[in-house]
Amino acid sequence: YEVRYSNEDFETAFDRSMIAFSAAKNSRDKFVVFYNDAMEENLVWEQFVEDHFQEAIEKHEFKVYYQAKVSALTGKVSGAEALVRWIRSDGSVVFPGKFIPVLENNGMIAELDRYMFQEVVKHQKAWLDQGIPIVPVSVNLSRVQLAEQNFFERYKKMLEQSSLPSKYVSLEFTESAMFDNEEILRDTVDQIHDAGMKVLIDDFGVGFSSMMTLKTIPADIMKVDKCFVDSIGDERGNKIIIGLIEFAVSLGMSVTAEGVEDEHQYLFLKEHNCNDIQGYYFARPIPAEEYCEKFLKTA
């Protein structure tokens, strides 16, 4: 074995060993971790996000981007998903993959969830008041939110104060956001339905208990994950996605296919009775003003 010596002082070496120890402790499959510079860079970034999150909320640096969904049958806009972008004061754009995991780890994601819902409600109400024909928009919920038994009361209050009809906003969560307390989950979904809102299951099929999820959660819309859409053209892949659509329909659910990027995928989904299409083939996520001009005012 080659033995390498370092000229680092003890304090630096100790700090770095603790960084590696923390990485090993937080990993599910790694018992030995060696320090590298990326670990320290990640820690610096995490600290930056934590230090600047509240200021970014107050300054409205988190912006809603809308990705339109279209009817597979007509090609017309049928809804949209609200996605977040962090536009910093210097104009730089931070994508969700950079800050969402940090906020999920420190619990701040719940505040961002509520902020996004409030922003979407404001946009929808303003467009409606202007006489613009709006369509339902789904807003994502994190696991942190779902674990709070009475979290929906805040959402319901925001909606009531806005006077926006509940049919114009829905709540979307991934199967990975589920947890073991079926009673809380079912009660939450019942509250959402009682308020006149729909529930979407995102990324369906990528978890280990997808079928059991629908036994517990009477969702209204199944969003078929992009990995299945990408398999269109493969014989087994075709059978799987057809089966998913038929399964959802048998439960009285609507189906939205995610990640549709070309005409072949779109035509296949249309032929097999998929309800809505979401993906770059029809629309990328765009700022609120552009979404309104391009998809609502031209509807």
Side-chain angles (χ1 to χ4, degrees):
Y1 294 96
E2 179 183 359
V3 179
R4 296 185 179 182
Y5 295 93
S6 170
N7 59 2
E8 295 171 348
D9 57 47
F10 173 78
E11 184 175 354
T12 299
F14 178 78
D15 287 344
R16 291 179 172 178
S17 68
M18 293 307 295
I19 290 173
F21 174 74
S22 178
K25 185 173 65 173
N26 293 330
S27 173
R28 296 181 179 180
D29 57 358
K30 295 180 180 179
F31 299 97
V32 178
V33 174
F34 292 94
Y35 167 85
N36 59 60
D37 291 341
M39 292 180 182
E40 190 165 357
E41 292 171 3
N42 288 337
L43 283 178
V44 171
W45 172 249
E46 289 173 7
Q47 190 62 54
F48 176 87
V49 173
E50 292 183 7
D51 291 345
H52 291 81
F53 173 72
Q54 201 59 49
E55 180 184 7
I57 286 282
E58 293 169 0
K59 291 184 175 180
H60 290 268
E61 292 183 359
F62 291 107
K63 304 295 184 183
V64 182
Y65 273 51
Y66 292 88
Q67 185 172 27
K69 307 170 191 177
V70 302
S71 165
L73 183 62
T74 66
K76 294 183 178 180
V77 63
S78 56
E81 179 181 359
L83 302 166
V84 63
R85 300 288 185 268
W86 184 1
I87 314 296
R88 294 171 56 186
S89 57
D90 62 2
S92 60
V93 179
V94 185
F95 289 90
K98 288 284 291 180
F99 61 86
I100 292 293
V102 179
L103 299 179
E104 288 177 334
N105 289 336
N106 63 25
M108 293 178 177
I109 189 66
E111 185 172 359
L112 182 60
D113 284 349
R114 293 190 292 271
Y115 169 91
M116 288 290 290
F117 183 82
Q118 181 76 72
E119 291 296 292
V120 168
V121 167
K122 287 179 181 177
H123 289 163
Q124 290 282 75
K125 185 61 168 64
W127 291 329
L128 188 63
D129 288 346
Q130 294 170 39
I132 298 171
I134 62 175
V135 292
V137 173
S138 61
V139 184
N140 291 284
L141 289 178
S142 65
R143 181 185 179 91
V144 173
Q145 288 280 60
L146 289 172
E148 297 179 14
Q149 189 164 10
N150 298 314
F151 88 91
F152 184 66
E153 289 300 318
R154 292 188 182 185
Y155 283 71
K156 185 177 178 181
K157 186 176 181 180
M158 284 188 280
L159 193 59
E160 289 173 346
Q161 289 176 341
S162 73
S163 299
L164 176 72
S166 57
K167 66 180 180 179
Y168 290 122
V169 63
S170 52
L171 295 176
E172 178 173 330
F173 42 88
T174 64
E175 183 186 342
S176 61
M178 303 296 177
F179 52 94
D180 295 333
N181 196 321
E182 292 186 3
E183 185 178 348
I184 291 179
L185 277 173
R186 184 62 182 254
D187 181 61
T188 296
V189 173
D190 287 345
Q191 290 181 51
I192 295 171
H193 283 157
D194 288 344
M197 300 167 63
K198 291 186 176 181
V199 172
L200 295 82
I201 300 294
D202 193 17
D203 299 338
F204 186 82
V206 298
F208 293 106
S209 57
S210 298
M211 302 303 178
M212 293 304 295
T213 296
L214 297 185
K215 171 183 174 292
T216 304
I217 306 299
D220 305 286
I221 300 172
M222 174 198 290
K223 299 188 71 178
V224 178
D225 189 72
K226 184 181 186 301
C227 67
F228 296 107
V229 173
D230 288 342
S231 71
I232 291 175
D234 172 78
E235 183 179 357
R236 292 178 65 86
N238 289 351
K239 290 180 178 179
I240 290 172
I241 200 164
I242 291 171
L244 286 174
I245 294 171
E246 292 177 347
F247 173 64
V249 171
S250 72
L251 294 178
M253 300 173 67
S254 174
V255 181
T256 298
E258 297 184 283
V260 178
E261 296 183 348
D262 61 48
E263 185 178 28
H264 172 66
Q265 293 172 341
Y266 162 60
L267 293 177
F268 178 89
L269 291 162
K270 179 181 179 180
E271 179 184 354
H272 293 285
N273 303 313
C274 180
N275 301 98
D276 296 297
I277 304 296
Q278 182 178 350
Y280 286 4
Y281 180 63
F282 281 104
R284 294 173 177 266
I286 53 179
E289 299 80 6
E290 185 179 348
Y291 161 75
C292 180
E293 291 290 333
K294 185 174 182 180
F295 291 101
L296 299 184
K297 290 185 177 181
T298 59

